[in-house]
C-alpha cells in the first residue's frame, strides 16, 4: 500500500526578508518562512510537521486561512495558508498534502501585506493583496483568478479590516488615514474613501513632539482635510503597524516605536495611549486579543509584554461588556507581565511574533537564527473577596477562563 510521506527540509537560519513571514493558525499550528520554504511547526512538540517547497525566491508573507465556514463530506475544509515570495508570486497551499491549490503572480510591484477576507462564507476563498504604491487586488485563492482591483490616490503603507464590521477598512498613508465604510470585494469603494488627519494636542511637530508629553495628552481628533484650518497634524510615516481591537468596536491601535495610540474611528477621537518609559525597549509589534481586552506587545530586545485594559469608574464585581464604547481618554492599559529579554547580537535578531488565536494564552517569537521561543501565560486565580481559588479543575485553558472580568490576575510569562 502506497503511503504519502511528508517532505522534510532541515530548517536553519533565516533570510532578512523572512522577518514578517510568521503566523499562528486557528488550528494551533505555526508557520514561518525559511528562505524559499514554508515550515509548519507543532508548538506542542516544537517539531516541524510539514515543509512546503514551491517558491523560487524568499518567502516574505504567510497567512493561515480562517476556516469558519460550514463544511460537509461533499465540501470539506482543508488546512490552507497563503504565502508570497519576493518575486510577488503567491501560492495557496493544501498543507496536509503539501501541494499548491492555486498559484498566481502579483506582477512586478513590491508587496505591502496580504489578508484573508472573513466577512461571510462567500468570502472564505478571497485574499486581499496590497501592492506598492497604492493598489489592492482581491484574488480567489481557490481558483487563482483575479476578482477585482482598486487603486487609491495616496501611497498606502498598511491596511486593517474592522473585525466587527468587515465592510469598514482603514488604510494608512504617510500623511493621513483613509477610511472606507462600504468595502465590497466586487466593486470599487465609493469615492475611494475619506481622508482623515491625526491632529496633535501639544507643541512639537511629528511623533517626536508627542513623545515628551504627559500620557493623558494624546492626539485629540481625526479631522478631514476640509476641517484642518491650520491644525497641527501628525505624520504617519513613522507608524509601525495598524491593528483593530478585537474586543472593542471601532478601536484602532496605532503603533509607534515608543507609543501605542488608541483611536476611536467612530467618534474620530483618541480614547487612550500607552507610553513606554525611557528605560523600556521599543515596540516592534502589537497583537490584540478577542476574549479579553489584552494586548501582546513584542519589543526590540525580544521580550513580550502583556497589557490588560483597566475599566474606569466601574466596580470590580460588575462585569463589563467588551463591546461597550469607553468615554474619551478612559482607556488605560496596565502592564501585568513581561518576559525576559533575549541576548541580541549581530547573528541573532528578533523578527516577528504571533499568539495562539484559539486559547490566547501562548505567544511565539521568531528569531533570525530560525529559533521559535514559546511563552505561556501563568495566572493566579482569586475570588471576588481576594481568596485564592483551588485548582481542582486544573489550570485555565483559554484567556476567557483564565482572566474572568474582575476575578483573575495575571502573574507571569513562562517560557515553554
Amino acid at each position: 500500500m502506497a503511503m504519502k510521506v511528508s517532505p522534510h527540509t532541515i530548517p536553519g537560519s533565516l533570510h532578512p526578508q523572512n522577518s514578517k513571514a510568521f503566523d499562528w493558525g486557528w488550528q494551533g499550528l505555526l508557520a514561518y518562512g525559511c528562505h524559499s520554504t514554508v515550515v509548519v511547526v507543532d508548538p506542542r512538540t516544537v517539531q516541524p510537521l510539514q515543509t512546503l517547497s514551491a517558491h523560487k525566491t524568499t518567502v516574505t508573507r504567510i497567512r493561515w486561512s480562517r476556516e469558519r465556514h460550514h463544511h460537509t463530506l461533499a465540501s470539506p475544509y482543508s488546512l490552507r495558508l497563503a504565502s508570497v515570495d519576493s518575486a510577488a508570486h503567491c501560492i495557496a497551499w493544501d498543507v496536509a498534502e503539501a501541494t499548491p491549490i492555486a498559484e498566481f503572480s502579483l506582477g512586478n510591484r513590491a508587496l505591502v501585506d496580504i489578508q484573508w477576507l472573513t466577512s461571510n462564507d462567500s468570502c472564505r476563498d478571497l485574499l486581499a493583496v496590497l501592492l506598492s504604491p497604492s493598489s489592492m487586488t482581491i484574488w480567489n485563492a481557490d481558483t487563482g483568478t483575479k476578482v477585482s482591483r482598486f487603486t487609491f490616490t495616496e501611497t498606502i503603507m498598511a491596511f486593517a479590516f474592522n473585525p466587527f464590521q468587515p465592510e469598514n477598512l482603514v488604510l494608512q498613508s504617510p500623511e493621513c488615514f483613509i477610511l472606507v465604510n462600504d468595502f465590497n470585494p466586487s466593486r470599487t469603494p465609493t469615492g475611494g474613501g475619506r481622508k482623515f488627519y491625526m491632529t496633535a494636542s501639544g507643541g512639537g511637530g511629528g511623533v517626536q513632539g508627542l513623545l515628551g508629553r504627559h500620557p493623558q495628552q494624546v492626539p485629540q481628533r481625526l479631522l478631514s482635510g476640509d476641517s484642518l484650518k491650520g491644525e497641527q497634524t501628525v505624520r504617519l510615516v513613522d507608524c509601525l503597524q495598524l491593528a483593530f481591537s478585537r474586543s472593542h468596536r471601532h478601536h484602532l491601535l496605532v503603533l509607534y516605536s515608543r507609543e501605542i495610540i488608541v483611536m476611536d474611528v467612530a467618534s474620530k477621537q483618541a480614547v487612550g495611549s500607552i507610553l513606554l518609559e525611557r528605560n523600556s525597549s521599543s515596540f516592534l509589534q502589537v497583537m490584540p486579543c478577542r476574549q479579553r481586552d489584552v494586548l501582546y506587545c513584542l519589543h526590540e530586545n525580544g521580550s513580550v509584554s502583556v497589557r490588560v485594559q483597566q475599566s474606569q469608574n466601574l466596580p470590580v464585581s460588575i462585569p463589563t461588556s467588551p463591546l461597550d464604547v469607553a468615554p474619551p481618554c478612559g482607556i488605560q492599559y496596565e502592564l501585568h507581565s513581561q518576559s525576559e529579554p533575549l541576548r541580541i547580537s549581530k547573528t541573532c535578531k528578533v523578527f516577528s511574533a504571533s499568539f495562539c488565536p484559539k486559547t490566547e494564552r501562548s505567544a511565539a517569537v521568531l528569531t533570525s537564527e530560525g529559533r521559535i521561543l514559546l511563552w505561556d501565560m501563568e495566572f493566579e486565580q482569586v475570588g471576588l473577596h481576594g481568596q485564592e481559588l483551588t485548582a481542582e479543575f486544573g489550570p485555565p485553558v483559554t484567556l476567557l477562563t483564565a482572566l474572568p472580568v474582575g476575578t483573575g490576575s495575571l502573574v507571569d510569562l513562562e517560557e515553554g
Side-chain angles (χ1 to χ4, degrees), residues 11-12 14 21-24 29-33 39-43 46-48 342 352-354 363-375 415-416:
L14 308 184
F22 189 46
D23 196 23
W24 198 327
L29 299 178
L30 284 163
Y32 70 95
V39 183
V40 180
V41 177
D42 184 352
V46 203
Q47 294 297 320
L342 304 180
S352 186
S354 189
V365 177
L366 179 69
T367 70
S368 59
E369 294 178 328
R371 291 191 300 161
I372 297 177
L373 304 178
L374 296 172
W375 300 91
E415 188 171 4

Side-chain angles (χ1 to χ4, degrees), residues 1 15-16 23 72 94 142 155 158 185 193 233 245 257 265 369 410:
M1 182 177 66
H15 192 278
D23 196 23
T72 63
D94 183 330
D142 190 50
T155 298
T233 61
S245 170
S257 61
V265 296
E369 294 178 328
L410 188 152

Side-chain angles (χ1 to χ4, degrees), residues 2 7 18 38 64 67 80 141 160 180 198 215 282 315 357 363 366 402 407:
N18 294 139
V38 178
W64 283 100
E67 304 285 359
R80 297 187 305 172
V180 177
M198 189 159 62
S282 299
L366 179 69
T407 61

